[in-house]
Amino acid sequence: SFSYSPWLRALVSDINLAYVNGYKKIDDMSAVSASLLYFSLGDITFTDINANVIGNYRPNEFALDAAYSRKFSDHVSGAVSARYIHSNLTQGQNVSGQSTKPGQSFATDVSLYYEKDLTFKNNLNGKFAFGMNISNIGAKISYSNDNTQKDFIPTNLRLGPSLLLNLDDYNSLTFMLDVNKLLVPTPPIYDSTYDVNGNQNILKGKNPNVSVVSGMLQSFYDAPDGFSEELHEITYSVGVEYWYDKQFAIRGGYFYEDKTKGNRKYFTLGAGLKYNVFGLDFSYLIPTDQKNPLENTLRFTLVFDFDAFKAQKK
């Protein structure tokens, strides 16, 4: 499949996010997959402190993945992935008197998935599923040549259920819920004093300069305002999908983020077409509280089924 998302299309025309992936079943119990995510920031003119032009550059980022998934039983499956991250934002320019380099990191994802067929009254059947994914478990990233400043990559916990209802032979309806939380330290509140080593003392919260694993665990209890702030760090997504004859889909959803943690709130709309060999999906985002990089933007995904193509040729 191939996905394309224009970015900040209301301002510029050359920033975009592209994603290509594919999978191959090894047998009935396992599969391998690979993907490439590429983010182009378009043409940017770099200048010095006196506004003299240094040059025109095209900053970019990409992530290259490989994954293995396996079915453990009739209801449970899991997957693990390996990821290489390359973030070239400064093109080697000096920033605040420091020479820079592309940021690089290695990360992994771990996921589990459960599904079970359901049978209701009046010959109604469906499927309940629950998924969990911890993504971007990996090394901190640095853009300076001396590696003095290192930042966490966005390790994220996502989990949620879905319920598929087959209304009849032609119509189906699916309801979904996603809950997300970043597994990185919450920035503390500092006071105006310093310790003997010259570090600013923390007034509320926890020290964010910890290891990756410690940061993941600490992210559940380190918010300066306690448990109530931890709840504000969780984002919620709900969605519904309707299919007719497994060929035409209509989708809708809503995303919520607390106003103290970014205040992103938006509706999503989508439609899909699926044929024997290929499928085409479109999505559109409608912000409700503030501007969004994807507003007034039509995104699309093209899916190609090689096995169906071979079967059709035969």
Side-chain angles (χ1 to χ4, degrees):
S1 71
F2 171 77
S3 300
Y4 180 80
S5 299
W7 195 261
L8 290 172
R9 187 45 52 99
L11 298 177
V12 293
S13 61
D14 60 352
I15 299 180
N16 61 78
L17 184 70
Y19 179 69
V20 59
N21 74 341
Y23 76 90
K24 172 68 175 177
K25 291 184 66 175
I26 301 175
D27 49 41
D28 290 338
M29 301 296 289
S30 58
V32 292
S33 61
S35 66
L36 172 65
L37 177 69
Y38 184 83
F39 184 42
S40 172
L41 279 75
D43 294 318
I44 296 179
T45 301
F46 283 61
T47 62
D48 61 19
I49 194 171
N50 298 313
N52 297 314
V53 175
I54 299 175
N56 293 314
Y57 300 94
R58 185 178 284 269
N60 61 81
E61 299 179 302
F62 69 86
L64 184 63
D65 290 30
Y68 173 77
S69 57
R70 183 167 184 83
K71 194 173 181 179
F72 301 127
S73 69
D74 290 338
H75 304 296
V76 179
S77 59
V80 62
S81 74
R83 173 175 301 113
Y84 168 69
I85 300 167
H86 184 94
S87 176
N88 190 5
L89 299 180
T90 60
Q91 306 280 293
Q93 300 300 313
N94 287 333
V95 178
S96 300
Q98 290 189 358
S99 59
T100 62
K101 64 177 182 179
Q104 299 183 79
S105 180
F106 292 92
T108 184
D109 297 353
V110 179
S111 60
L112 288 173
Y113 181 73
Y114 169 87
E115 67 175 18
K116 181 177 177 59
D117 292 332
L118 302 175
T119 302
F120 305 95
K121 295 181 180 180
N122 302 321
N123 295 322
L124 182 67
N125 63 78
K127 181 179 293 183
F128 172 80
F130 186 90
M132 183 188 73
N133 177 31
I134 303 178
S135 60
N136 283 326
I137 307 170
K140 296 180 182 180
I141 196 167
S142 175
Y143 294 92
S144 61
N145 282 316
D146 55 9
N147 290 323
T148 55
Q149 178 67 36
K150 289 188 175 183
D151 300 300
F152 287 90
I153 62 175
T155 307
N156 184 77
L157 170 65
R158 168 179 290 183
L159 53 87
S162 70
L163 177 63
L164 166 67
L165 299 175
N166 293 312
L167 306 178
D168 53 38
D169 291 339
Y170 294 96
N171 300 278
S172 66
L173 201 60
T174 305
F175 301 92
M176 292 155 280
L177 169 67
D178 263 4
V179 178
N180 284 264
K181 187 183 188 310
L182 282 173
L183 302 185
V184 296
T186 302
I189 297 176
Y190 296 93
D191 64 16
S192 57
T193 62
Y194 293 82
D195 61 20
V196 293
N197 296 319
N199 299 315
Q200 197 168 4
N201 289 316
I202 296 174
L203 182 65
K204 295 173 67 177
K206 301 289 185 181
N207 182 6
N209 297 317
V210 295
S211 67
V212 172
V213 175
S214 296
M216 292 172 60
L217 298 174
Q218 182 176 301
S219 66
F220 290 99
Y221 60 86
D222 64 352
D225 288 332
F227 184 69
S228 61
E229 185 177 352
E230 293 291 351
L231 293 178
H232 292 164
E233 294 181 350
I234 300 174
T235 63
Y236 304 91
S237 305
V238 294
V240 60
E241 178 185 63
Y242 165 78
W243 276 95
Y244 175 74
D245 199 22
K246 298 182 180 180
Q247 291 185 329
F248 175 70
I250 299 176
R251 307 180 181 96
Y254 181 71
F255 176 91
Y256 173 85
E257 182 179 59
D258 189 82
K259 62 182 179 181
T260 63
K261 295 296 179 177
N263 199 33
R264 292 176 297 166
K265 299 180 180 69
Y266 52 81
F267 290 96
T268 55
L269 299 173
L273 293 171
K274 186 176 181 181
Y275 297 96
N276 290 334
V277 175
F278 73 94
L280 190 61
D281 294 290
F282 297 94
S283 62
Y284 191 78
L285 183 147
I286 305 172
T288 59
D289 273 43
Q290 64 179 16
K291 294 290 185 179
N292 189 286
L294 291 173
E295 65 179 295
N296 301 320
T297 300
L298 187 66
R299 294 175 286 165
F300 72 88
T301 296
L302 177 65
V303 181
F304 194 83
D305 188 337
F306 290 98
D307 283 342
F309 181 74
K310 292 177 181 178
Q312 193 176 66
K313 285 190 66 176
K314 290 181 180 178

